[in-house]
Amino acid sequence: MRRGFTLLELLFCALIFSSLVIITPIFSSPKFSAEKEAQKLQHYFYKFMHISKTTHTNLNISFKKKLIEISYYVNNKKITFDDGIFNADNGCSFECNIINYATYSAQWGTMSPAFTLKISGADDKEYYLKINVQGRIRILKNNDSEE
């Protein structure tokens, strides 16, 4: 009967353990950063602004802490786009500097009112999405200077 492990068995266990130590931080890091969420939101807004211009419908944007909803009205009936809800169940949250509502005019290509959307990420960083009256969207690392 043998008592203990061979050198090869110990080396194999050390190899597995060191691999786990190296790989674990990669998978445990926050998957959703504020910067990525800001980039996704920028693309999201541009997409719906383009749809608004081509269909000649005004967009209504409503803000909540974990949700941004884009909709339009036809015959006084609110219609939300199928993919018009941007949900932040991934550890990010949104905070808008206006009450909770903005409108994009398809005819004039303008946003009313202009707003700044603060995006707080799971990585404890904050980014700002500034949309001006002309519908230009900028991503900022802090609220004053451009990235």
Side-chain angles (χ1 to χ4, degrees):
M1 291 218 180
R2 69 178 198 174
R3 296 189 204 217
F5 298 102
T6 65
L7 182 60
L8 185 60
E9 291 171 325
L10 290 172
L11 286 174
F12 183 73
C13 289
L15 177 70
I16 290 174
F17 180 76
S18 63
S19 298
L20 289 173
V21 168
I22 292 170
I23 291 174
T24 301
I26 294 170
F27 291 110
S28 66
S29 63
K31 294 181 182 179
F32 298 97
S33 69
E35 182 179 18
K36 286 182 183 180
E37 289 298 299
Q39 290 168 350
K40 283 175 20 183
L41 268 170
Q42 182 182 36
H43 174 74
Y44 180 79
F45 279 125
Y46 276 135
K47 170 186 167 184
F48 285 106
M49 286 176 181
H50 176 72
I51 290 171
S52 174
K53 287 178 186 176
T54 56
T55 60
H56 306 290
T57 56
N58 294 340
L59 297 178
N60 300 302
I61 305 163
S62 63
F63 305 98
K64 297 177 177 96
K65 185 102 175 140
K66 294 272 186 186
L67 183 78
I68 296 174
E69 179 182 273
I70 298 181
S71 59
Y72 61 99
Y73 285 87
V74 174
N75 297 329
N76 292 328
K77 182 179 177 188
K78 180 180 176 182
I79 300 171
T80 302
F81 290 99
D82 289 340
D83 56 347
I85 297 176
F86 194 87
N87 200 338
D89 282 340
N90 48 28
C92 289
S93 64
F94 310 118
E95 185 179 321
C96 193
N97 68 340
I98 61 173
I99 298 173
N100 61 359
Y101 187 81
T103 301
Y104 178 76
S105 168
Q107 180 181 5
W108 302 105
T110 58
M111 184 69 68
S112 176
F115 61 89
T116 300
L117 188 64
K118 179 173 125 181
I119 302 154
S120 304
D123 56 357
D124 293 330
K125 292 184 182 174
E126 294 177 347
Y127 277 76
Y128 294 84
L129 202 69
K130 286 193 171 199
I131 301 182
N132 68 10
V133 176
Q134 292 83 23
R136 180 172 177 242
I137 304 171
R138 296 183 311 158
I139 298 174
L140 308 172
K141 276 189 180 178
N142 57 45
N143 208 4
D144 299 324
S145 62
E146 199 159 339
E147 186 179 279

